[in-house]
């Protein structure tokens, strides 16, 4: 196969940090409050604007509280588990790397006695009918490392006794989230809107806020605390932060949110991501050597699009050799400047992962795919017995 000629204008397909919004340049950060305190009225105003725009673009109910928290989505999830888990039994869905980590934390670190881990292998979801909604439920809406997403809100009953805690880091700004059926939702700046890393977002319903105010015997480090002796620390949900944020990252996050709003809000963001998935789906359908890791069409992610190599020669390789073949394939594409960060997550089955969120242009996805075919043919020559 001859080498393609056209290349993506922006060959950035990482699943985090993700591609910047179209047209982004460093000038977007010109107004950043560098050398200024985040506690000044101007700094707090910027932080409050992130909260306000996030609620607006995502359609978060007005009675929910939203905060900027440390340590990205991981910090947001873990501060939630440490603060809330254990009042009642917990069901946790574990079907990829990060949801597996939440299950491990609950079992081995927090040592929740009444814990059920509902597991599935990469490419599948656990048996959703087995979830007991009278318990607290921890779920990941979209598996960043498996490319498998919850197919819709119907699995969650409108009325449920426990809290539903949702890790939505690669679903927010690309998929509908059923806010009326969730109680805690977390995400991060560096995913769907391509912000810089290290900052997380936490949204809590009134039911979750009430739970937080109840006394807990579990000690919490400062960066996990959302309450004090007086109750909920309301200032955190108005632009105060637990620790010092980067005002450069704040400006970048605001730029992404403003772009999202001007582009047409969540409906437009979803449409862009679904278009990218459709382009890859058509390519997979006509390509013999690759298929989706997600087992069913309804569960295929439109953001972290994970693919497996199904050629017999590849499947005959040892796990180590498969990883080397994927590294060779993706390295060929990267060396040509046609696509970066295309290998699957380190704990996932060896394969490809293409970020298809709204900041990625459809024409760049189209331009990438011939390069994958070209690199595959060369890799086949190198590794097939």
């Amino acid at each position: 196969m001859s080498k393609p000629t056209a290349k993506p204008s922006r060959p950035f397909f990482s699943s985090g940090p993700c591609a910047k919004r179209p047209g982004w340049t460093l000038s977007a950060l010109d107004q950043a409050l560098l050398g200024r305190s985040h506690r000044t009225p101007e700094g707090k105003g910027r932080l409050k604007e992130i909260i306000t725009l996030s609620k607006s673009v995502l359609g978060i109910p007005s009675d929910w509280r939203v905060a900027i928290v440390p340590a990205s989505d991981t910090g947001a999830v873990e501060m939630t588990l440490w603060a809330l888990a254990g009042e009642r039994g917990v069901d946790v869905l574990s079907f990829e790397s990060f949801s597996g980590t939440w299950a491990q934390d609950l079992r081995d670190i927090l040592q929740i006695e009444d814990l059920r881990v509902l597991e599935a292998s990469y490419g599948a979801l656990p048996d959703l009918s087995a979830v007991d909604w009278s318990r607290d439920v921890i779920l990941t809406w979209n598996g960043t490392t498996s490319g498998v997403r919850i197919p819709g809100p119907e699995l969650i009953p409108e009325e449920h006794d426990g809290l539903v805690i949702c890790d939505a880091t690669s679903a927010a700004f690309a998929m509908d989230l059923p806010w009326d059926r969730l109680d805690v939702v977390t995400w991060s700046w560096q995913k769907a809107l391509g912000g810089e890393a290290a900052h997380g977002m936490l949204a809590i319903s009134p039911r979750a806020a009430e739970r937080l105010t109840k006394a807990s015997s579990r000690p919490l480090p400062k960066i996990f605390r959302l309450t004090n002796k007086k109750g909920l620390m309301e200032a955190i949900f108005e632009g105060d932060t637990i620790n010092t944020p980067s005002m450069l990252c704040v400006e970048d996050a605001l730029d992404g949110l403003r772009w999202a709003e001007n582009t047409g809000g969540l409906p437009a963001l979803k449409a862009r991501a679904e278009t990218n998935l459709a382009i890859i789906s058509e390519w997979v359908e006509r390509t013999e050597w690759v298929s989706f890791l997600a087992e069913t069409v309804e569960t295929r992610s439109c953001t972290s699009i994970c693919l497996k190599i199904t050629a017999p020669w590849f499947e005959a390789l040892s796990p180590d050799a498969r990883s080397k073949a994927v590294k060779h394939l993706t390295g060929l594409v990267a060396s040509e400047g046609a696509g970066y960060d295309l290998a699957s997550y380190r704990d996932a089955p060896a394969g490809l992962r293409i970020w298809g969120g709204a900041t990625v242009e459809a024409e760049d996805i189209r331009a990438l795919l011939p390069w994958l075919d070209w690199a595959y043919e060369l890799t086949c020559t190198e590794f097939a017995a």
Side-chain angles (χ1 to χ4, degrees):
M1 178 179 179
S2 59
K3 184 186 296 186
T5 54
K7 296 180 182 180
S9 297
R10 297 191 307 146
F12 308 116
F13 302 102
S14 166
S15 291
C18 301
K20 297 293 188 186
R21 52 98 174 156
W24 185 92
T25 67
L26 281 171
S27 64
L29 308 180
D30 284 350
Q31 302 305 311
L33 294 178
L34 302 184
R36 297 290 309 280
S37 171
H38 62 294
R39 301 193 189 281
T40 62
E42 296 89 345
K44 188 174 179 179
R46 294 280 216 284
L47 295 163
K48 176 63 174 177
E49 187 179 357
I50 287 178
I51 292 172
T52 301
L53 281 174
S54 297
K55 293 186 73 170
S56 174
V57 174
L58 291 173
I60 301 174
S62 59
D63 59 351
W64 279 52
R65 294 171 172 86
V66 176
I68 299 165
V69 299
S72 191
D73 178 68
T74 299
V77 173
E78 294 202 334
M79 71 189 301
T80 301
L81 299 184
W82 260 249
L84 294 176
E87 182 192 79
R88 61 176 64 211
V90 177
D91 281 5
V92 56
L93 307 186
S94 173
F95 58 97
E96 49 90 51
S97 299
F98 292 102
S99 57
T101 297
W102 313 146
Q104 183 180 20
D105 283 350
L106 291 163
R107 181 184 60 240
D108 300 336
I109 309 302
L110 292 175
Q111 299 182 353
I112 302 299
E113 293 184 0
D114 187 4
L115 175 68
R116 298 198 312 159
V117 179
L118 308 180
E119 294 184 276
S121 59
Y122 277 89
L125 285 172
D127 179 5
L128 301 180
S129 67
V131 178
D132 182 350
W133 300 99
S134 68
R135 301 156 64 85
D136 288 341
V137 177
I138 319 297
L139 59 85
T140 300
W141 197 264
N142 183 83
T144 308
T145 66
S146 69
V148 175
R149 61 175 160 179
I150 302 294
E154 297 79 13
L155 83 108
I156 307 173
E158 293 184 21
E159 300 293 332
H160 48 270
D161 295 331
L163 297 180
V164 181
I165 299 170
C166 175
D167 172 0
T169 192
S170 58
F173 302 102
M175 305 172 194
D176 285 318
L177 295 169
W179 299 98
D180 60 332
R181 302 176 189 224
L182 302 172
D183 296 288
V184 178
V185 178
T186 68
W187 66 96
S188 59
W189 295 354
Q190 74 263 31
K191 290 293 185 187
L193 295 185
E196 292 303 300
H199 301 78
M201 298 295 294
L202 172 68
I204 61 173
S205 71
R207 293 178 72 234
E210 181 181 4
R211 171 85 70 86
L212 280 170
T213 60
K214 295 180 180 179
S216 172
S217 59
R218 183 180 297 130
L220 298 176
K222 179 181 179 180
I223 60 170
F224 279 11
R225 294 178 203 155
L226 296 170
T227 59
N228 55 26
K229 293 180 180 179
K230 297 180 180 180
L232 207 62
M233 297 164 64
E234 294 287 358
I236 291 176
F237 305 99
E238 296 294 329
D240 276 3
T241 54
I242 298 171
N243 67 340
T244 304
S246 162
M247 298 309 292
L248 194 65
C249 294
V250 165
E251 199 68 22
D252 194 48
L254 281 173
D255 176 74
L257 285 163
R258 291 164 183 159
W259 170 80
E261 188 173 58
N262 293 334
T263 295
L266 185 59
L269 301 177
K270 285 166 43 188
R272 289 173 63 89
E274 292 292 347
T275 295
N276 290 338
L277 173 60
I279 292 168
I280 294 175
S281 296
E282 192 277 331
W283 173 71
V284 168
E285 188 172 342
R286 59 181 165 81
T287 302
E288 294 182 353
W289 59 270
V290 70
S291 63
F292 284 94
L293 186 58
E295 295 176 354
T296 62
V297 173
E298 295 77 17
T299 64
R300 290 176 185 168
S301 171
C302 63
T303 55
S304 52
I305 303 170
C306 296
L307 306 171
K308 58 184 178 181
I309 298 173
T310 55
W313 69 263
F314 183 84
E315 293 182 330
L317 297 176
S318 67
D320 184 58
R322 289 184 187 187
S323 296
K324 289 179 180 178
V326 169
K327 185 177 181 180
H328 183 269
L329 190 159
T330 57
L332 287 170
V333 179
S335 68
E336 296 288 340
Y340 300 114
D341 307 317
L342 293 165
S344 58
Y345 189 73
R346 61 179 179 266
D347 294 333
L352 304 175
R353 182 171 61 160
I354 305 169
W355 183 259
T359 59
V360 176
E361 298 278 34
E363 54 263 36
D364 287 331
I365 294 281
R366 290 191 182 94
L368 167 69
L369 300 178
W371 287 96
L372 294 178
D373 286 324
W374 167 79
Y376 168 79
E377 292 295 334
L378 294 180
T379 302
C380 179
T381 301
E382 180 76 17
F383 284 84

